[in-house]
Amino acid sequence: MLLRINLILLVAFALGMAAISLVVTSTLQENATREVLAQAGLMIDSAAAIRTYTETEIGPLLDDKMASAFRPQSVPFYAATQHFITLRKEHPDYAYKEATLNPTNPRDRATDWEADIVQRFRNDGATRQVSGTRETPMGRSLYVARPIRVEAGCLACHSLPSAAPATMLARYGSDNGFGWQPDEVVGAQIVSVPFASAEANAGRVRREVLTAIGAVLASVWLIVNASLYLLVIRPVRRIARIADQVSLGDTAAPDFPKGGGAEVTALSAAFNRMRKSLDKALRMLGG
C-alpha cells in the first residue's frame, strides 16, 4: 500500500513541479524582458537629452567658430553617438546608433536590418517606437528604436549643398547627407541592450525557486510517509497479524493494539469487541 501511495505522490509532485516550472519560467522571462526594455528606454531617453543639450547649449557656443573649422561637437547626432562610444568601453555589448539612410558621416549609415526599421517608420508615420530581438555575436539582444525626423534646424546643413557651411563640405564632401525634407523620417535612434545579464538573473532565480519548492515537496513526502507508517501501516500490520492468529484459534494472541490514528484505534476497538463476543459464543457452545 505504501508503495502505491508513494507512486501516486511522485506522479502528483512531478506534475506539480512541471506546472510550477512553466509558470515560474514564463513569469521570469517576462520580467527579464521588461527589465531590458526599461534599460533600453532609459538609454534612448538619455540620448535624446544629450541631443537637446547639444542643440540648445553647445551649438550656440560654437556657431562663431564654424566659419574657420567645422565643429562636429555642435551636431546633436555626433554628441549622442560619441557619448555612447565612451559608454561602450565599459559595456561593449550595449550599442547606440543614429542609423540614417543618407548620412553626412558614413559611420551613421544604416545597415540592412537598421534600414528596414527606418523604412517601417517612413511607411507608418503614426509609429513612434518599435522593439524586437536579434541574435548578435555577443548573444541575444533586444533593440528599441525611435524615428529621427527632419526639424527646421536640420535644413541649414542638410537641404542643399549650396546652403551648407563650407567647412562642413570641406570635411564630409557634398555627396551625402543632403536633400532632406521637412518632417521627413531620415533615420532611427536604435539602442541595443543584451539579454544575457537579465536571463542569467532569471535563470538563477528560477533555480532557487524550484530548489526551494523541491525541498518543500521532499519534506512533505517524508512527513506523509512517516505519518502513514506510524498512524496506519504499522498498526494495520499488527492488527492483521493478530487477526491471523485469532482466525487460527490461538487464544493466547494479544489484544488488538490501540495505537495509530483515530480510525485505526476505532478499528482495533471493534476487533476487540468482536473477539470477546466470539469467545463468549465459543464458551456457550462448549458448555
Side-chain angles (χ1 to χ4, degrees):
M1 183 175 100
L2 190 59
L3 177 61
R4 289 194 294 271
I5 292 175
N6 278 322
L7 288 175
I8 293 171
L9 286 175
L10 288 174
V11 171
F13 287 170
L15 292 175
M17 283 293 288
I20 292 170
S21 177
L22 288 174
V23 172
V24 169
T25 300
S26 176
T27 301
L28 290 175
Q29 185 65 36
E30 291 175 2
N31 289 341
T33 301
R34 282 196 294 269
E35 178 185 336
V36 175
L37 276 173
Q39 290 181 7
L42 182 61
M43 288 178 64
I44 207 166
D45 287 339
S46 174
I50 293 168
R51 293 180 65 190
T52 301
Y53 173 77
T54 301
E55 183 177 3
T56 58
E57 302 287 338
I58 304 301
L61 298 177
L62 298 177
D63 281 345
D64 59 345
K65 301 181 183 297
M66 296 287 280
S68 59
F70 182 74
R71 311 289 179 175
Q73 293 80 7
S74 67
V75 180
F77 275 36
Y78 180 89
T81 301
Q82 287 299 114
H83 169 76
F84 280 97
I85 287 175
T86 303
L87 178 69
R88 290 198 71 188
K89 293 178 181 178
E90 297 295 330
H91 304 281
D93 43 359
Y94 287 72
Y96 173 83
K97 184 177 179 180
E98 303 215 352
T100 311
L101 297 179
N102 181 22
T104 301
N105 191 334
R107 77 175 183 184
D108 297 327
R109 187 173 301 280
T111 61
D112 290 342
W113 75 273
E114 293 167 341
D116 290 340
I117 293 174
V118 176
Q119 195 60 48
R120 180 174 173 181
F121 287 129
R122 290 168 69 91
N123 294 337
D124 185 0
T127 301
R128 292 291 178 266
Q129 180 172 298
V130 298
S131 61
T133 58
R134 56 187 296 268
E135 295 297 329
T136 71
M138 304 294 288
R140 195 158 66 102
S141 179
L142 182 143
Y143 66 84
V144 174
R146 294 176 185 171
I148 298 175
R149 294 183 178 276
V150 177
E151 299 176 354
C154 303
L155 297 176
C157 295
H158 296 285
S159 57
L160 296 172
S162 58
T167 51
M168 188 185 88
L169 296 177
R171 185 182 180 100
Y172 295 111
S174 59
D175 295 332
N176 299 303
F178 300 103
W180 294 9
Q181 301 299 317
D183 203 39
E184 178 189 15
V185 174
V186 294
Q189 292 176 281
I190 302 176
V191 165
S192 296
V193 180
F195 257 115
S197 178
E199 286 185 325
N201 289 335
R204 176 181 55 79
V205 173
R206 177 178 178 273
R207 288 191 298 272
E208 291 176 354
V209 169
L210 293 181
T211 299
I213 293 173
V216 170
L217 292 179
S219 300
V220 170
W221 179 78
L222 290 173
I223 292 171
V224 168
N225 271 270
S227 300
L228 283 173
Y229 181 77
L230 294 175
L231 299 177
V232 179
I233 303 298
R234 188 171 66 175
V236 167
R237 285 177 178 173
R238 293 175 63 188
I239 290 172
R241 186 167 58 251
I242 295 171
D244 188 55
Q245 290 177 269
V246 171
S247 69
L248 295 174
D250 184 357
T251 57
D255 288 341
F256 289 98
K258 296 180 180 180
E263 292 79 5
V264 175
T265 300
L267 179 63
S268 294
F271 272 117
N272 280 323
R273 288 194 300 271
M274 183 180 67
R275 182 180 179 182
K276 290 177 182 178
S277 299
L278 182 60
D279 287 342
K280 289 181 181 179
L282 290 175
R283 284 197 298 270
M284 291 175 62
L285 289 174

